[in-house]
Amino acid sequence: MSDYQPIINALIGCDMAKTTELVNLSLTQGIDAKDILNQGLIPAMDIVGQKMETGEMFIPEVLMAAQVMSSATEILKPTLAKEDSDAKGTVIIGTVKGDLHDIGKNLVGMMMESGGLEVHNLGVDVEPERFAAQVQEKKAGILCLSALLTTTMPMMQKTIDILKDKGLRDQVKVMIGGAPVTQTYADQIGADAYASDAGSAARLAKSLI
């Protein structure tokens, strides 16, 4: 049992007051902000992701946990900013052109950010060319494409084609997801990975970095 277990328990329990109290207490005790993040908060969100995958936690609870994580991270930011960035990788995420759904995509982004990844959320209705430009500009290692409509799924293929045309395909892993998306479709369009939910998406992204 680590010294960070109370923080882990508080975050998994979506207890905002307790989590922020423990994070502040840890800082006043001189504990390194990176250690609080990497040994307390991020492992807690990994457990939240696992519980979502197994059906032990549901989207409203996961959103609450992500909000607690975000508040705790804000407390650590002033200290973390003085140190070298410890982000494990850069992710570009967005909903493809023609599709305006973003709840699931936002949850995936929050889970990945909570997992220590640097996430750039481009929003909804994103043109393939903009995805490619952001991959190039941010030197992203992972591109996450979301679609909730069968009619917009072909934009995932088009985005991958644009990456190929611009010579960017080999430098970025493409993950796809959304209600109508399947592993079979991911294989069909040449995506690197498919995630069925936010918990598995965050875990998968970290494995691809």
Side-chain angles (χ1 to χ4, degrees), residues 40-192:
L41 300 176
I42 289 176
M45 286 305 295
D46 286 342
I47 294 172
V48 169
Q50 292 165 11
K51 286 181 174 291
M52 183 180 181
E53 287 184 64
T54 57
E56 296 174 74
M57 290 182 76
F58 298 96
I59 288 178
E61 297 167 290
V62 175
L63 284 170
M64 288 174 62
Q67 289 168 355
V68 173
M69 173 72 180
S70 178
S71 295
T73 305
E74 285 298 316
I75 296 171
L76 299 177
K77 271 186 179 178
T79 304
L80 290 171
K82 297 175 184 175
E83 305 170 0
D84 293 337
S85 171
D86 201 30
K88 295 180 173 65
T90 300
V91 177
I92 301 294
I93 187 170
T95 305
V96 298
K97 177 67 179 174
D99 201 318
L100 301 177
H101 297 86
D102 67 353
I103 294 176
K105 177 261 299 172
N106 288 344
L107 181 57
V108 169
M110 292 169 68
M111 292 292 290
M112 289 183 174
E113 195 167 40
S114 298
L117 300 172
E118 178 182 330
V119 177
H120 298 271
N121 189 337
L122 304 186
V124 300
D125 193 25
V126 181
E127 296 273 3
E129 291 81 3
R130 185 170 174 229
F131 277 123
Q134 287 296 301
V135 165
Q136 187 169 31
E137 180 182 324
K138 300 293 192 301
K139 295 181 171 53
I142 295 180
L143 172 63
C144 296
L145 304 174
S146 173
L148 210 68
L149 303 171
T150 55
T151 52
T152 58
M153 285 170 58
M155 297 307 293
M156 293 176 161
Q157 173 75 76
K158 187 170 182 179
T159 301
I160 291 175
D161 290 343
I162 292 289
L163 290 173
K164 291 177 181 175
D165 292 345
K166 294 184 178 297
L168 299 169
R169 183 64 184 95
D170 291 339
Q171 74 176 50
V172 65
K173 300 292 186 184
V174 178
M175 290 178 57
I176 65 173
V181 180
T182 63
Q183 180 64 57
T184 300
Y185 185 69
D187 295 339
Q188 179 184 327
I189 67 173
D192 296 293

